[in-house]
Amino acid sequence: KGLVAVLFIVIGNFMGQFRHNYFVGIKTPWTLANEEVWRRTHRLGGRIWVVCGLICLAVSPIASPWGAGVFFAALMIMVVVPIVYSYIIFADLQKR
């Protein structure tokens, strides 16, 4: 689990620099449709991945059900928050 957490930290560190593409990154219909949504989503997503990766790294040596629960909760935050954020940004830009 520790190496996976380190991988999350490394990917999160570079995620804010990902250019708009169809191969790597948070690929929702909203991020692919608008470059500003892509940029803002990946900047926030990168920060979330680094923080959650550090949390996962901290609980990785703990072999208990709550340690696994914290690890899984961090993974869910890494997935759900950027997707919801990208939709909110996209909807806000569509209103303008």
Side-chain angles (χ1 to χ4, degrees):
K1 288 193 268 185
L3 291 177
V4 173
V6 170
L7 183 65
F8 291 151
I9 295 167
V10 170
I11 292 172
N13 193 36
F14 290 105
M15 192 178 290
Q17 301 170 10
F18 289 170
R19 301 237 185 253
H20 191 256
N21 67 76
Y22 290 93
F23 302 107
V24 178
I26 302 166
K27 297 179 295 280
T28 64
W30 314 290
T31 57
L32 294 174
N34 188 308
E35 193 156 337
E36 182 180 349
V37 175
W38 174 276
R39 183 183 53 78
R40 290 172 60 182
T41 299
H42 283 79
R43 294 210 35 178
L44 175 73
R47 292 182 189 126
I48 290 173
W49 275 52
V50 169
V51 170
C52 288
L54 290 170
I55 292 169
C56 289
L57 187 61
V59 299
S60 65
I62 301 170
S64 70
W66 73 267
V70 170
F71 195 94
F72 182 73
L75 288 176
M76 294 307 297
I77 290 169
M78 290 167 53
V79 171
V80 173
V81 170
I83 292 172
V84 171
Y85 181 71
S86 69
Y87 177 75
I88 291 169
I89 294 170
F90 184 76
D92 185 48
L93 288 175
Q94 291 299 316
K95 289 179 185 176
R96 293 184 198 174

